[in-house]
Amino acid sequence: ELLKPDYTAPGVNILAAVAASGDDPVQYDFYQGTSMASPHGAGSAALLVALHPDWSPAEIKSAIATTANQNLLKEDALTPATPFDGGSGRIDLAAAAFAGFVLDETTANYVNANPYEGGEPNTLNQPSMVEYDCIGVCSWTRTITSSLDYAQDWTVSVESGPEMILSVVPMNFTLEAGGTQTIEITADMSSGVADQFYFGKLILTPDD
């Protein structure tokens, strides 16, 4: 019960180095696919590590995910993409570099979340929230940590269809410099239809 991909990166019509074959002098060609997108993801993380060497890998990933561009389309270039297509969205490094908060997680919690050992992956403190068997009501807990050196007021809002009623506690809070805030998210699926996927968004907006 983890959302994959976490986010997307450029991966279509990428100019890539190609191994020479026999007398073929071609050294470069246009490629596409996951193998073209993954270096952009790794490079993005490396650049953020250079900017924020004190951030953990989980915090780096969360900064990219929580600031990603969600205006994505499916392959037909007409249909809006779902989180199954693009995760949190397309990497936007200009935004990720100035993320106002991050989400961290420990190695021990990753190990304990192993479903083969009775763990629950969706309890991990990361931006995505997934529940594949939500009967009635399901909930998640997330803790964010300020990456700012000053106090910041935040307002929480949600987006979802009528079949999924999202509620959040708290809806407003002040995050002190370097401070943390725990957020409780609940999805009421009483009006949902069995065997259907429903998507929603949790949006945190700085008040100023």
Side-chain angles (χ1 to χ4, degrees):
E1 297 187 323
L2 299 174
L3 178 63
K4 294 297 174 182
D6 293 288
Y7 37 74
T8 58
V12 178
N13 290 333
I14 303 299
L15 185 62
V18 179
S21 176
D23 295 331
D24 186 356
V26 174
Q27 299 289 316
Y28 297 91
D29 204 348
F30 287 97
Y31 274 55
Q32 57 193 13
T34 305
S35 58
M36 296 295 103
S38 60
H40 287 88
S44 297
L47 289 171
L48 281 184
V49 168
L51 283 174
H52 302 283
D54 57 325
W55 284 3
S56 70
E59 290 175 325
I60 292 289
K61 185 178 81 166
S62 73
I64 295 175
T66 57
T67 59
N69 184 344
Q70 297 184 331
N71 297 320
L72 301 179
L73 301 174
K74 288 181 176 287
E75 291 83 352
D76 61 8
L78 295 172
T79 307
T82 74
F84 288 157
D85 300 311
S88 294
R90 183 185 174 104
I91 291 175
D92 183 347
L93 269 181
F98 297 99
F101 60 84
V102 290
L103 290 85
D104 200 7
E105 190 52 279
T106 66
T107 299
N109 283 345
Y110 277 116
V111 173
N112 292 335
N114 182 353
Y116 294 103
E117 300 293 336
E120 297 184 40
N122 62 9
T123 62
L124 290 170
N125 192 45
Q126 56 183 16
S128 62
M129 292 160 280
V130 181
E131 175 63 65
Y132 288 140
D133 191 21
C134 185
I135 300 175
V137 174
C138 53
S139 60
W140 306 265
T141 300
R142 295 293 183 265
T143 300
I144 65 173
T145 301
S146 173
S147 58
L148 306 176
D149 57 5
Y150 54 86
Q152 175 65 61
D153 294 331
W154 293 86
T155 296
V156 182
S157 59
V158 295
E159 291 182 6
S160 64
E163 301 88 354
M164 179 170 63
I165 301 174
L166 293 176
S167 58
V168 184
V169 177
M171 295 292 289
N172 303 91
F173 58 87
T174 299
L175 196 56
E176 299 296 335
T180 62
Q181 175 67 52
T182 297
I183 303 172
E184 303 288 344
I185 306 98
T186 301
D188 185 338
M189 299 302 303
S190 301
S191 299
V193 177
D195 299 324
Q196 295 290 323
F197 289 113
Y198 296 93
F199 303 103
K201 297 179 184 179
L202 177 68
I203 303 166
L204 280 70
T205 306
D207 286 358
D208 58 1

